[in-house]
Amino acid sequence: MKSKLLVLLAGLVLSFNAFAISLQDAKAQGLVGEQLNGYLGVVISSSDAKSVVSSVNAKRKAHYEKIAKKNNISVSDVAKLAAEKAIEATKKGHYIQNKSGKWVKK
């Protein structure tokens, strides 16, 4: 009985992930963009956009903290460097945040 419950629970989790929008889809649809602080931001508010931003930013924060600790620098410094690289790598037509905080297409 316990194993059947675990299989059912795993199936539900996997099915929710199948419906979730990917980061690349969210960027291509103009829902999210790269911010100057190294984190993803919501361009057009929707549940999909908020979900992607929350998930990606949690992973980024953990990664930035790991790098900062390893190199004995601040998390904000790591995030700023990551922002520069992410904005540089952003595809044409996707959104980035400009210095005044506005969303613009690259």
Side-chain angles (χ1 to χ4, degrees):
M1 177 69 176
K2 195 173 188 180
S3 63
K4 287 182 182 180
L5 183 60
L6 289 174
V7 169
L8 177 63
L9 191 58
L12 286 173
V13 169
L14 292 174
S15 68
F16 286 131
N17 287 339
F19 292 110
I21 189 171
S22 74
L23 171 59
Q24 292 309 314
D25 287 342
K27 283 184 172 185
Q29 293 175 27
L31 300 176
V32 301
E34 294 293 342
Q35 298 181 116
L36 296 173
N37 64 3
Y39 294 94
L40 200 60
V42 174
V43 177
I44 299 174
S45 187
S46 73
S47 60
D48 282 341
K50 290 176 186 175
S51 176
V52 168
V53 166
S54 177
S55 175
V56 168
N57 285 346
K59 291 174 187 172
R60 285 185 181 185
K61 183 177 181 184
H63 189 63
Y64 297 165
E65 288 172 346
K66 184 178 176 182
I67 292 170
K69 184 175 181 179
K70 181 178 179 182
N71 293 288
N72 200 30
I73 58 176
S74 73
V75 174
S76 63
D77 286 343
V78 174
K80 286 178 187 174
L81 290 170
E84 291 173 12
K85 289 183 178 186
I87 289 170
E88 185 178 309
T90 297
K91 293 179 182 178
K92 186 175 180 177
H94 290 188
Y95 283 93
I96 58 172
Q97 189 180 47
N98 66 17
K99 291 183 181 188
S100 66
K102 303 263 185 204
W103 290 113
V104 295
K105 282 188 178 182
K106 184 173 178 186

